[in-house]
Amino acid sequence: NAELAMSQNPLRTVSKGMNLAVARSLDIDGTAYAETVDGLLIANVANTWFGPGGTGKSTAAVAACVAHKLAATFAGLPVERGVPLYLDWEDEEEAFERILWEVSAGYGLDESAQVYWRRMKAPLKDDIAYVSALISRIGATMVVIDSATRAMGASGDHGTYESTAVAFAEAIRALGKVTTLIVDHVDSASVKEGGVAKKAYGSIHKLNFVRNAWSLSPDDEAATQTVGWMHAKVNHGPKRQAFGIRYERDQVMGGLAL
């Protein structure tokens, strides 16, 4: 069975200068839409951040989890407080803990923030009963799926990539009323010569069923790791302006701040 882990270390000192805030709510055509991370994650629906390797997608997702736990800012944007759950098809616990510690240190914590983590093996659709029960048991308000390709699983002898994407979308919906962040990859051909990907790798259905999508691309000329964010899709209201996030590492203390 896959493992569920959470740092048992208590939260300690938070930097005095940290801007604590709750996310804003949108009122569009008389309907309210809350945002877990202002502009980047719409609450209680499926969101995706996709981009090529080297854009720090997983690191940004971990940072969003820590910010959600603390109700701290994410790259200067206000974040709603809640309980994050990280479902990991990509790495083992040691790799996750390393990123979590670096990001937590960047937020001024002496020890890693408390983030639930589970190593995933089977496709999400085959594990949905356990995951749904887990979300209910721990009171998770934000779930990270890292990453879509592995969470979807193989199409098998009688399936297609399209049918697998549809099954994945149904599994995401089955998670219920929770903010979902899907980390996804892109086809290398779609970002050649410095281009920005318009969608993630594979079926367009993955982009169609999410409510909010951001495309990440590296700035290869920046001295410090910098990633450009382009709003690829939003179902409620206008797209946000593109912006950049710089990954600043403390070479002495080892922390990482976005």
Side-chain angles (χ1 to χ4, degrees):
N1 294 331
E3 297 179 354
L4 173 68
M6 188 179 81
S7 169
Q8 297 301 314
N9 298 324
L11 297 178
R12 293 192 178 181
T13 306
V14 177
S15 299
K16 293 182 179 179
M18 184 174 289
N19 178 23
L20 301 183
V22 296
R24 70 191 187 100
S25 295
L26 301 176
D27 188 358
I28 302 170
D29 297 329
T31 302
Y33 297 95
E35 295 181 312
T36 300
V37 178
D38 187 19
L40 301 185
L41 289 178
I42 299 176
N44 300 323
V45 299
N47 304 260
T48 185
W49 296 349
F50 59 85
T55 49
K57 300 181 294 294
S58 296
T59 300
V62 173
C65 286
V66 174
H68 188 45
K69 176 67 179 179
L70 302 177
T73 58
F74 172 86
L77 300 170
V79 180
E80 183 183 44
R81 185 186 301 277
V83 179
L85 169 63
Y86 203 102
L87 302 179
D88 201 338
W89 280 262
E90 294 285 337
D91 287 315
E92 300 300 329
E93 184 177 0
E94 182 179 359
F96 174 79
E97 285 290 345
R98 176 183 57 79
I99 298 174
L100 178 62
W101 183 88
E102 291 177 349
V103 169
S104 298
Y107 275 101
L109 301 181
D110 293 334
E111 297 174 339
S112 295
Q114 296 177 332
V115 175
Y116 286 99
W117 176 91
R118 185 182 188 233
R119 180 67 169 101
M120 304 294 290
K121 302 289 187 181
L124 179 61
K125 66 181 179 63
D126 295 339
D127 214 6
I128 197 64
Y130 178 87
V131 173
S132 296
L134 175 61
I135 290 171
S136 178
R137 176 163 63 87
I138 68 175
T141 52
M142 172 183 165
V143 178
V144 175
I145 307 291
D146 189 2
S147 63
T149 300
R150 296 194 177 186
M152 287 171 60
S155 57
D157 295 335
H158 304 290
T160 64
Y161 200 92
E162 188 69 22
S163 65
T164 304
V166 171
F168 177 61
E170 291 302 320
I172 294 293
R173 294 187 182 98
L175 296 179
K177 190 177 181 180
V178 64
T179 303
T180 306
L181 168 57
I182 303 165
V183 178
D184 209 349
H185 304 291
V186 300
D187 188 336
S188 59
S190 66
V191 292
K192 62 181 179 180
E193 298 179 356
V196 178
K198 301 296 179 61
K199 72 175 190 69
Y201 175 81
S203 172
I204 189 63
H205 188 76
K206 289 195 295 181
L207 183 61
N208 290 341
F209 88 84
V210 300
R211 306 294 89 184
N212 186 49
W214 285 85
S215 176
L216 282 61
S217 57
D219 182 348
D220 296 327
E221 297 182 359
T224 302
Q225 182 183 6
T226 303
V227 177
W229 289 59
M230 188 272 291
H231 210 178
K233 173 187 176 178
V234 64
N235 279 48
H236 311 302
K239 292 181 181 179
R240 299 294 187 95
Q241 290 186 340
F243 66 97
I245 291 180
R246 187 168 58 248
Y247 290 57
E248 297 181 338
R249 287 178 166 79
D250 187 328
Q251 300 300 327
V252 177
M253 304 301 294
L256 171 63
L258 275 63

